Amino acid sequence: MRKPEILAPAGNLEKLKIAVDYGADAVYIGGGRLNLRAFSNNFTTEQIMEGIKYCHDRGRKLYVTLNVFPRNHDLEGAESYIRELYEIGVDAVIVADPSLVAICKEVAPELEIHLSTQANTVNWRAVKFWYELGVKRIVLARELTFKEIKTITSYMPNGCDIEAFVHGSMCVAYSGRCLISNYMLGRDANKGICGNVCRYKYYLVEETRPNEYYPVVEDDNGTYIMNSKDLCMIKHIPELIESGIYSFKIEGRMKSEFYVASVVKAYREAVDSYFKNPYEYEFKDEWMDILTKISHRKYHTGFYLGINGEENYDESSYLRDYDLVGMVKEYDEETGVATILQKNRVFENDEVEVLRAEDPYFKVTLTDMFDVDKNVKTDVANRAHMVFKAKVNKPLKKNDMLVKASKKLTL
């Protein structure tokens, strides 16, 4: 049994490094063209090269998404772009459309191809079809159950890998193939500019009764017929592994560095714990504790367990119990003083929790705060990206994340 890959999202170079540092085996990013995240900070060629070096120096991999469904004009320059990605050393490209599979085979036949979840692969014959066309890995549609996945992996050709999402936002549409946003707002979900109109509140109006609104489904919070909960499979690591899925994919190229670090850490520890001794594996509550600290919608197991319908839908608000308030840039062991990059407002004498790749959460208190930018003592760090120093009562390390319980529980 192969140890599965933990595959993390990286919306920019900083998040890429955080994902790797917190235990990801591979990262997926968007380049300057043909990817489904128009609003994220997509990588330039130079940044991709830096990301490749950072990954390869640490024995990790980097994949580039080319997962749009291109119109004719989108294909202009695709050959040179794909050839460039191969030449600079990306480990694979993730595509959804047959045109890009064909271009990859034509201009870079040695480049590994992964098929995006956007292609809606839901059966073993489709897996075999794509593999025979030269696709090395299939990212399954998110609508599949464990039973269906086991059938797929039992018929899977030798040399083919299966990847599946295990954590993150879900879509009301079939693997993200959604036209609602385009229809209502002119923002094409399949070009990365979805307006998330499935999160809106909807009512039914009868033609001859204007301004009389009838709720479709209602609870104490409102009407939510399309607001899917967030996927979270941290409690089902053995089932994921035994199903034959090789790559555990985390959603979230547009999520924060706090999100990336937390989710990667939780799944890394869970997978490592299983492979240390599968027969004595036990789920640890601390992994779920890590995942509940980040901004998220209510968690659900998606379609894996065959449970869907109304149980998978809820209000659109995020739960946000903790904020990332700072990242440690330096720590002086002699003085016990940390240099910190501010991420959210934090006060002198605040007790904060420390998120670190290799250790459980622990708490420190920030005292004797000093504003490095203004060269004055301060009792609050309240400017975006402010650099400040603070004395702490426990040793810290570079890139430790400092988080604090938030008074604002919903966003």
Side-chain angles (χ1 to χ4, degrees):
M1 184 182 296
R2 289 192 299 167
K3 191 173 187 178
E5 170 187 85
I6 302 295
L7 176 56
N12 57 37
L13 196 55
E14 180 184 10
K15 294 174 188 176
L16 180 151
K17 294 178 180 179
I18 287 171
V20 170
D21 292 347
Y22 276 77
D25 298 298
V27 296
Y28 63 101
I29 70 170
R33 300 195 55 190
L34 301 171
N35 91 91
L36 242 179
R37 287 296 179 269
F39 287 160
S40 65
N41 297 322
N42 294 316
F43 285 62
T44 64
T45 298
E46 291 73 23
Q47 289 172 331
I48 295 176
M49 293 173 68
E50 184 176 346
I52 291 170
K53 185 177 189 315
Y54 196 85
C55 290
H56 289 182
D57 285 351
R58 292 158 180 79
R60 319 297 171 84
K61 294 183 177 181
L62 183 145
Y63 312 140
V64 175
T65 58
L66 310 175
N67 55 349
V68 300
F69 292 96
R71 303 292 179 89
N72 291 325
H73 64 87
D74 294 317
L75 291 175
E76 296 175 7
E79 291 89 348
S80 59
Y81 180 58
I82 290 171
R83 187 182 297 110
E84 178 183 66
L85 293 176
Y86 171 69
E87 290 174 349
I88 64 176
V90 303
D91 294 285
V93 291
I94 306 170
V95 306
D97 191 81
S99 66
L100 296 177
V101 174
I103 292 172
C104 288
K105 299 306 294 181
E106 177 184 336
V107 303
E110 300 302 316
L111 178 60
E112 186 169 305
I113 303 171
H114 298 174
L115 188 72
S116 171
T117 189
Q118 294 292 109
N120 309 134
T121 305
V122 295
N123 63 74
W124 67 269
R125 283 193 175 273
V127 169
K128 185 172 182 290
F129 168 82
W130 286 111
Y131 182 73
E132 290 173 351
L133 284 181
V135 176
K136 172 69 166 55
R137 179 184 297 184
I138 310 297
V139 188
L140 296 177
R142 303 186 210 192
E143 293 76 25
L144 295 175
T145 65
F146 273 130
K147 182 178 179 181
E148 292 172 308
I149 293 171
K150 286 181 178 179
T151 299
I152 289 172
T153 56
S154 68
Y155 284 101
M156 189 170 60
N158 290 331
C160 182
D161 289 334
I162 291 296
E163 178 177 306
F165 281 92
V166 299
H167 194 95
S169 296
M170 296 283 280
C171 183
V172 67
Y174 212 87
S175 282
R177 297 289 295 273
C178 182
L179 299 176
I180 304 174
S181 176
N182 205 6
Y183 175 77
M184 293 181 64
L185 304 177
R187 289 169 53 172
D188 191 348
N190 294 319
K191 288 293 180 66
I193 50 176
C194 179
N196 288 316
V197 297
C198 58
R199 315 296 184 199
Y200 295 178
K201 298 180 182 179
Y202 290 93
Y203 294 86
L204 180 68
V205 178
E206 201 277 323
E207 183 179 12
T208 63
R209 295 177 175 83
N211 300 318
E212 294 184 26
Y213 302 102
Y214 302 92
V216 181
V217 176
E218 187 172 19
D219 60 19
D220 292 339
N221 298 307
T223 302
Y224 310 99
I225 59 173
M226 293 186 288
N227 290 304
S228 56
K229 297 176 183 177
D230 280 359
L231 177 65
C232 178
M233 293 299 292
I234 193 69
K235 292 184 178 180
H236 298 275
I237 295 299
E239 296 98 314
L240 288 169
I241 293 170
E242 292 160 12
S243 71
I245 298 169
Y246 170 65
S247 182
F248 292 0
K249 190 168 193 172
I250 299 164
E251 180 275 337
R253 276 192 286 146
M254 297 178 73
K255 302 286 181 67
S256 70
E257 55 265 70
F258 179 32
Y259 170 94
V260 172
S262 298
V263 181
V264 170
K265 176 181 172 66
Y267 282 87
R268 174 80 281 153
E269 291 183 3
V271 169
D272 288 350
S273 177
Y274 177 88
F275 274 85
K276 186 175 181 180
N277 192 333
Y279 301 104
E280 296 183 5
Y281 172 83
E282 291 184 0
F283 173 78
K284 296 181 180 178
D285 290 335
E286 64 190 63
W287 299 331
M288 182 57 76
D289 181 57
I290 292 171
L291 297 177
T292 54
K293 282 183 166 67
I294 58 177
S295 178
H296 65 283
R297 297 184 186 91
K298 289 182 179 179
Y299 285 134
H300 191 261
T301 53
F303 296 88
Y304 278 101
L305 304 182
I307 304 170
N308 48 49
E310 63 181 23
E311 287 192 32
N312 199 22
Y313 299 95
D314 204 346
E315 59 178 293
S316 59
S317 298
Y318 280 91
L319 302 174
R320 184 171 175 175
D321 297 339
Y322 283 76
D323 290 318
L324 173 65
V325 296
M327 294 186 65
V328 177
K329 310 312 291 182
E330 294 179 10
Y331 176 72
D332 189 322
E333 294 184 1
E334 292 185 6
T335 62
V337 172
T339 302
I340 301 165
L341 176 66
Q342 190 260 22
K343 292 292 184 177
N344 277 289
R345 187 172 62 173
V346 62
F347 293 88
E348 188 174 50
N349 298 318
D350 272 351
E351 184 179 65
V352 298
E353 296 189 41
V354 181
L355 177 66
R356 180 182 293 169
E358 65 273 17
D359 295 315
Y361 264 109
F362 63 94
K363 297 179 180 180
V364 298
T365 302
L366 306 177
T367 59
D368 298 332
M369 288 176 61
F370 185 85
D371 187 334
V372 173
D373 300 324
K374 294 186 176 181
N375 197 32
V376 294
K377 192 180 183 312
T378 185
D379 61 359
V380 59
N382 56 1
R383 301 192 312 276
H385 300 292
M386 168 182 173
V387 178
F388 68 97
K389 292 179 181 291
K391 190 174 181 62
V392 291
N393 54 331
K394 293 179 183 176
L396 296 180
K397 295 182 180 180
K398 183 178 180 180
N399 294 329
D400 280 347
M401 293 189 180
L402 309 181
V403 304
K404 179 185 172 186
S406 173
K407 294 180 181 179
K408 185 178 181 181
L409 299 182
T410 59
L411 178 64

